[in-house]
């Protein structure tokens, strides 16, 4: 694949165009959010109360109470949103304590304002990082902008807006990690450490760095995680780790809404929810062993280091014990990598079609197809490309030029 143009002046016009495209591409998620209104009590009628739970958890933390206590969380929601009536269903809060400072954003202003601020910021960060990823693979800036458009229209992004979830923040961290992995190990480590707000995603990508002996990245990630944990402890107390462990070990009632390997197994054997839940951690452990073995053996190509990261990004939504459709935004990275192997079809078109396919699957309810797509994606990106390095790093990306 030809490299993108390497010498380009920094252009305010280019940055302005990129900002305009990103702003326009946040609209689908915003429209979904307007329809779902997940920050309010009406969301209980449509089972999309994630943002309401996040705001309630932040309010409890501000009062010195624990969001991991399910009864306390439910009573708070009942008193502040439902006029004392019990919530119609239980949606526990299970993010680790190192993630808690992030949810302080949801205390800025009214619940509605804070929700839209949280959503727009996360979506914009994700789209900006998508542009960086696209410029890594696309020789033309126009094609990279179409990739951003495809990311904004994709099913996972729209679904993330509908629920008010954190999928965009996860994807932004993973894409920033990939962009910095070869050239800026300290920045990559910071991105990996921030990514630990979803440890089931940070751990596999950290294992790739460990196997490839990228010690600066590993140490920077550990330091970032430690700083986040100390900040959380200073703000809310260190005893929350014990309470988090209890919440994380409880039965996950959203099992039948997932799109990891559970989705396919649950479609085949719907009466085995408890057994599937118990198999979550063993399956992830086996997946991590397979990933480590792959990265250890895959040393025969110049692009092997980055390929291990891309394989991990494709694999982790399948083996994670907790994967929902909004997490699949991360698949934009392996899809772009595959598209770069056949440059006759622009990557922007490939990403648009892939995102619309995921949207169609979500609308029709056939979530069991998603892990099958993920498995195909893993197998395709794990196979070395026939060409020499197909994943160049344009200097425009490294120098910050759009």
């Amino acid at each position: 694949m030809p490299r993108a143009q390497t010498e380009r002046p920094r252009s305010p016009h280019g940055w302005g165009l990129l900002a305009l495209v990103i702003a326009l591409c946040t609209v689908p998620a915003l429209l979904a959010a307007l329809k779902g209104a997940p920050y309010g009590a009406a969301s209980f009628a449509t089972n999309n109360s994630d943002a309401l739970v996040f705001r309630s958890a932040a309010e409890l933390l501000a009062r010195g109470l624990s969001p991991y206590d399910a009864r306390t969380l439910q009573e708070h929601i009942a008193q502040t949103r439902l006029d004392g009536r019990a919530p119609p269903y239980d949606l526990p809060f299970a993010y680790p304590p190192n993630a808690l400072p992030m949810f302080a954003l949801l205390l800025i202003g009214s619940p509605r304002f804070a929700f839209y601020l949280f959503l727009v910021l996360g979506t914009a960060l994700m789209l900006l990082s998508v542009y960086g990823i696209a410029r890594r693979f696309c020789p033309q800036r126009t094609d990279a902008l179409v990739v951003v458009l495809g990311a904004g229209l994709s099913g996972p992004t729209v679904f993330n807006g509908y629920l008010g979830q954190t999928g965009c923040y996860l994807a932004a961290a993973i894409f920033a990690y990939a962009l910095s992995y070869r050239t800026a190990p300290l920045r990559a480590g910071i991105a990996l450490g921030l990514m630990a707000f979803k440890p089931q995603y940070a751990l596999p990508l950290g294992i790739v760095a460990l196997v490839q002996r990228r010690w600066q990245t590993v140490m920077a990630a550990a330091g970032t995680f430690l700083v986040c944990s100390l900040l959380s402890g200073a703000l809310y107390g260190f005893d929350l780790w014990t309470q988090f462990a209890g919440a994380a070990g409880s039965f996950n009632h959203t099992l039948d809404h997932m799109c990891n390997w559970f989705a396919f197994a649950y479609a085949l054997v719907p009466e085995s929810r408890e057994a599937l839940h118990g198999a979550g951690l063993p399956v992830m452990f086996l997946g991590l062993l397979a990933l480590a073995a792959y990265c250890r053996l895959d040393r025969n190509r110049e692009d092997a280091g980055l390929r291990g990261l891309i394989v991990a990004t494709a694999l982790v939504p399948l083996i994670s014990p907790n994967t929902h459709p909004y997490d699949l935004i991360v698949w934009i990275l392996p899809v772009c990598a595959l598209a770069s192997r056949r440059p006759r079809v622009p990557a922007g078109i490939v990403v648009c079609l892939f995102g619309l396919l995921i949207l169609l699957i979500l609308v029709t309810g056939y979530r069991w197809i998603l892990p099958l797509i993920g498995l195909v994606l893993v197998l395709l990106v794990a196979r070395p490309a026939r060409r020499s390095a197909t994943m160049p790093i344009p200097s425009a990306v490294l120098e910050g030029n759009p």
Side-chain angles (χ1 to χ4, degrees):
M1 171 181 171
R3 289 183 179 270
Q5 185 178 348
T6 57
E7 295 295 335
R8 286 185 298 179
R10 299 181 182 228
S11 168
H13 172 74
W15 281 114
L17 177 61
L18 177 59
L20 176 61
V21 170
I22 288 176
L24 292 175
C25 290
T26 62
V27 171
L30 284 171
L31 292 176
L34 285 170
K35 180 180 179 180
Y39 55 84
S43 62
F44 281 112
T46 50
N47 193 20
N48 67 320
S49 306
D50 301 50
L52 184 152
V53 171
F54 293 161
R55 167 81 182 209
S56 299
E59 291 170 350
L60 287 176
L61 289 167
R63 294 170 51 190
L65 300 175
S66 171
Y68 300 117
D69 186 325
R71 177 176 296 180
T72 299
L73 181 59
Q74 297 305 306
E75 288 178 353
H76 178 76
I77 293 174
Q79 296 301 321
T80 58
R81 270 82 177 178
L82 300 172
D83 297 323
R85 292 175 285 110
Y89 55 82
D90 179 21
L91 191 60
F93 182 83
Y95 282 82
N98 57 291
L100 297 181
M102 177 177 70
F103 293 101
L105 282 171
L106 290 169
L107 294 177
I108 300 175
S110 67
R112 175 180 297 190
F113 175 82
F115 163 71
Y116 284 112
L117 175 64
F118 190 80
L119 175 63
V120 169
L121 179 61
T123 306
L125 287 173
M126 182 273 292
L127 293 173
L128 180 62
S129 63
V130 164
Y131 179 78
I133 289 294
R135 290 300 290 132
R136 181 185 293 267
F137 296 106
C138 301
Q140 301 296 328
R141 187 179 65 177
T142 301
D143 194 21
L145 292 175
V146 177
V147 171
V148 174
L149 175 63
L153 293 173
S154 70
T157 303
V158 174
F159 193 67
N160 184 80
Y162 179 72
L163 293 179
Q165 263 288 349
T166 59
C168 284
Y169 288 95
L170 172 67
I174 289 180
F175 299 155
Y177 181 58
L179 283 170
S180 306
Y181 191 66
R182 278 179 166 177
T183 59
L186 293 180
R187 288 205 304 267
I190 292 172
L192 180 60
L194 293 174
M195 194 193 308
F197 79 90
K198 284 200 171 185
Q200 70 270 31
Y201 284 82
L203 181 60
L205 294 172
I207 284 178
V208 174
L210 276 171
V211 172
Q212 296 178 357
R213 300 180 181 180
R214 300 181 182 269
W215 306 122
Q216 283 185 298
T217 296
V218 172
M219 295 303 296
T224 303
F225 174 77
L226 178 61
V227 168
C228 292
S229 299
L230 291 175
L231 176 61
S232 174
L235 291 173
Y236 310 119
F238 292 97
D239 60 318
L240 290 177
W241 281 101
T242 302
Q243 299 176 46
F244 162 71
S250 61
F251 184 81
N252 193 331
H253 295 283
T254 64
L255 184 70
D256 49 344
H257 297 291
M258 292 188 189
C259 54
N260 52 4
W261 68 271
F262 287 165
F264 187 75
Y266 183 70
L268 292 176
V269 194
E271 65 276 7
S272 61
R273 296 174 80 242
E274 288 75 13
L276 292 176
H277 179 268
L281 288 179
V283 168
M284 184 169 185
F285 178 72
L286 291 175
L288 293 178
L289 286 179
L291 176 63
Y294 171 82
C295 292
R296 181 71 177 175
L297 296 173
D298 187 33
R299 294 183 169 185
N300 59 339
R301 296 296 298 270
E302 180 185 352
D303 61 345
L306 188 57
R307 186 168 58 246
L309 188 155
I310 293 171
V311 169
T313 304
L315 176 67
V316 63
L318 299 182
I319 64 173
S320 164
N322 191 358
T323 299
H324 290 277
Y326 46 80
D327 295 317
L328 301 185
I329 302 172
V330 305
W331 275 351
I332 291 174
L333 173 59
V335 168
C336 282
L338 287 175
S340 72
R341 297 183 180 184
R342 286 172 171 77
R344 292 182 180 179
V345 181
I349 300 300
V350 174
V351 172
C352 285
L353 293 176
F354 184 82
L356 292 176
L357 172 63
I358 301 299
L359 181 60
L360 178 63
I361 292 172
L362 293 176
V363 169
T364 55
Y366 294 104
R367 295 193 183 188
W368 59 269
I369 299 177
L370 295 173
L372 300 181
I373 292 175
L375 180 60
V376 172
L377 201 59
V378 170
L379 295 176
L380 289 176
V381 296
R383 184 174 60 89
R386 294 179 181 178
R387 304 166 185 250
S388 59
T390 61
M391 289 162 279
I393 307 176
S395 61
V397 173
L398 303 181
E399 296 170 5
N401 293 329

